[in-house]
Amino acid sequence: MKALITGGGSKFGLKLSKLLVQDYKVDLITGQDQTSLPNNLFSNITYVDWNNTDLLKSELNISSDYDLVIFNHNPQGEYGELVNLVNTTFTASVLDRINPKPDLKVMWMISGLVNGEMPQYNSYASRKATWIYMMRQYASKQEGIYFGLEPGHIIGGEEVDVFDQIKKANKQYNKKVITKNGQERIFTL
């Protein structure tokens, strides 16, 4: 099986990537320096500069045929053209290169901050809320299982719970946001 993960080169994304390679050939899109990544972990690595407005001109070393796609990248900064480019336009350009099929799983990493309970994180929360709407749009227009995963606060080792939910994803997950415990998370957007 084949997977693509964006933002899988550091922090939680790297922990998740290390689990993915147990079951998948993994392609990675990352802003991390090549020297910071483990050798021979990924099938293909595309390095991008998330802070470059020419991001869409980057040559992406990705396939059109995946079984799993995970969007985990996080543009830095407040609202603006660059944040919108990375969060929305780049994500759509990746999805538009991938052939939809009934068993394709596409997951967006969502945050509970979407509920707006911590106004100091509204910029970050708005990006994750946009992903919820993107997920619903793609689920409505093409084949596959399109879902969000809201892991909550990850404590050491809980990336395994997230990975288990990814493996369990089926048509019942379509258009939903699921927690690391498999419960549907309802957001009032």
Side-chain angles (χ1 to χ4, degrees):
M1 292 193 300
K2 197 165 182 185
L4 170 67
I5 183 169
T6 67
S10 67
K11 303 177 193 165
F12 177 75
L14 182 58
K15 289 179 181 181
L16 185 56
S17 292
K18 288 178 178 179
L19 291 170
L20 286 172
V21 298
Q22 296 172 17
D23 295 331
Y24 296 89
K25 287 179 154 181
V26 178
D27 292 347
L28 171 70
I29 299 175
T30 183
Q32 291 301 306
D33 184 299
Q34 181 176 0
T35 59
S36 68
L37 295 172
N39 290 334
N40 303 318
L41 188 63
F42 302 102
S43 296
N44 291 300
I45 301 175
T46 301
Y47 298 98
V48 296
D49 179 357
W50 297 117
N51 297 310
N52 187 340
T53 55
D54 288 333
L55 176 65
L56 293 180
K57 295 177 184 175
S58 300
E59 186 167 329
L60 301 179
N61 191 14
I62 64 173
S63 169
S64 61
D65 186 36
Y66 289 101
D67 301 290
L68 173 65
V69 178
I70 296 175
F71 292 106
N72 184 58
H73 60 281
N74 286 302
Q76 300 302 308
E78 295 296 318
Y79 306 102
E81 180 182 350
L82 182 61
V83 169
N84 185 55
L85 172 77
V86 173
N87 192 66
T88 308
T89 310
F90 175 78
T91 302
S93 75
V94 169
L95 276 173
D96 291 344
R97 297 175 192 206
I98 295 169
N99 296 326
K101 56 187 179 181
D103 58 346
L104 169 67
K105 296 178 184 182
V106 180
M107 186 201 89
W108 284 263
M109 193 64 72
I110 305 298
S111 169
L113 293 172
V114 166
N115 275 339
E117 297 159 358
M118 300 178 79
Q120 67 269 34
Y121 298 111
N122 279 349
S123 177
Y124 175 77
S126 72
R127 295 189 286 266
K128 299 301 185 172
T130 300
W131 277 1
I132 293 172
Y133 285 105
M134 285 185 81
M135 172 259 299
R136 291 174 182 164
Q137 175 193 6
Y138 277 92
S140 296
K141 72 177 193 173
Q142 56 193 44
E143 290 184 304
I145 302 163
Y146 298 83
F147 67 104
L149 202 140
E150 195 277 298
H153 183 70
I154 299 288
I155 300 170
E158 288 184 332
E159 62 273 4
V160 173
D161 297 330
V162 171
F163 185 54
D164 286 345
Q165 291 309 316
I166 293 168
K167 290 193 291 188
K168 290 177 185 176
N170 57 40
K171 286 289 184 191
Q172 282 74 35
Y173 281 48
N174 209 32
K175 294 186 181 183
K176 296 179 181 174
V177 176
I178 305 298
T179 68
K180 65 185 172 203
N181 301 319
Q183 303 300 310
E184 183 177 1
R185 177 75 192 263
I186 306 293
F187 290 103
T188 54
L189 303 176

